[in-house]
Amino acid sequence: MDCLFCKIINGEIPSKKVYEDELVYAFYDINPQAPVHVLVLPKKHIASADSVNRENSADIAAVFEAIPKIAAACALADGYRVITNVGVHGCQSVKHIHFHLLGGVQLKESFN
Ligand code: 5GP
Ligand code: ZN
């Protein structure tokens, strides 16, 4: 499958890895929007949050089990934001579900 994030997960395309386990991979965003900007994703190819279902939701649960470990490793004790973009209106550019973990600064309340 021609998916950028599948290629990053399998090492075909290099990334700055932050965390990896059996189900989850996390790496630094190439174009950071905050002092800490990590992308956290399931290794399984799921297109977006709009494709989550009973069959793949354990992979999404694994992402959320990994997030506190990644946040601790990135010294985000004061808090952070987790965002996933979906489709055209959500400005999703890579069609492999990923969660933006943003922090290291006081973020604004606004989402747009
Ligand atoms: P989206 O717009 O789909 O929510 O987020 C995609 C994110 O992937 C963007 O923040 C973008 O900077 C990041 N990105 C795109 N290509 C690469 C890449 O090759 N390497 C890394 N590390 N991040 C990428
Ligand atoms: Zn993929």
Side-chain angles (χ1 to χ4, degrees):
M1 189 190 299
D2 194 28
C3 169
L4 174 66
F5 286 175
C6 282
K7 288 178 181 167
I8 284 179
I9 291 162
N10 70 28
E12 228 177 295
I13 292 173
S15 66
K16 285 176 68 181
K17 182 168 82 174
V18 178
Y19 175 88
E20 182 173 15
D21 65 30
E22 192 188 347
L23 298 176
V24 177
Y25 193 83
F27 56 100
Y28 287 108
D29 196 291
I30 205 167
N31 182 25
Q33 304 298 311
V36 176
H37 187 171
V38 175
L39 300 175
V40 191
L41 45 148
K43 289 182 173 177
K44 178 185 284 199
H45 183 92
I46 299 168
S48 78
D50 201 49
S51 300
V52 175
N53 55 40
R54 186 63 62 89
E55 274 66 52
N56 61 28
S57 59
D59 296 83
I60 303 303
V63 165
F64 279 87
E65 288 173 36
I67 283 173
K69 300 179 201 171
I70 298 165
C74 293
L76 297 179
D78 289 335
Y80 52 89
R81 182 170 289 160
V82 180
I83 295 174
T84 191
N85 295 325
V86 181
V88 174
H89 279 191
C91 298
Q92 180 184 8
S93 60
V94 181
K95 278 33 174 198
H96 181 135
I97 192 170
H98 50 282
F99 296 85
H100 298 260
L101 176 59
L102 298 153
V105 71
Q106 177 61 59
L107 298 167
K108 305 260 185 292
E109 279 191 47
S110 168
F111 289 110
N112 53 25

